[in-house]
């Protein structure tokens, strides 16, 4: 799954730590999501989307190879 978490975080000049704290997850979780090594649960995906003020579809896109 591709996502825009890093792009949106960088646009807002937020650190991974700041985003992690606001989402109540670890910095490692944010890093893994940004690198596409971890697909968040549906509740966490909604929480991330709400945090950025975008829809889940704006934030996460299926991998074209899947």
């Amino acid at each position: 799954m591709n996502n825009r978490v890093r792009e949106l975080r960088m646009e807002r000049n937020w650190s991974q730590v700041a985003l992690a704290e606001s989402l109540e997850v670890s910095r490692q979780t944010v890093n893994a999501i940004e690198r596409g090594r971890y697909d968040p649960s549906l509740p966490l995906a909604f929480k991330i989307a709400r945090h950025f003020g975008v829809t889940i579809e704006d934030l996460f896109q299926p991998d074209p190879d899947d």
Side-chain angles (χ1 to χ4, degrees):
M1 181 180 313
N2 299 316
N3 71 75
R4 299 178 54 222
V5 173
R6 184 175 194 279
E7 173 190 339
L8 294 174
R9 180 179 61 77
M10 298 298 286
E11 284 177 2
R12 289 157 175 80
N13 293 319
W14 295 343
S15 68
Q16 285 185 342
V17 172
L19 179 58
E21 288 176 355
S22 64
L23 295 173
E24 300 177 328
V25 299
S26 70
R27 184 199 58 78
Q28 290 82 2
T29 297
V30 170
N31 185 50
I33 292 169
E34 287 184 355
R35 293 178 176 270
R37 290 185 289 147
Y38 172 71
D39 291 333
S41 67
L42 191 54
L44 180 55
F46 273 109
K47 191 173 186 177
I48 297 168
R50 275 194 310 269
H51 196 72
F52 284 115
V54 299
T55 65
I56 287 182
E57 293 83 5
D58 289 336
L59 193 57
F60 296 97
Q61 298 84 35
D63 192 338
D65 295 333
D66 288 340

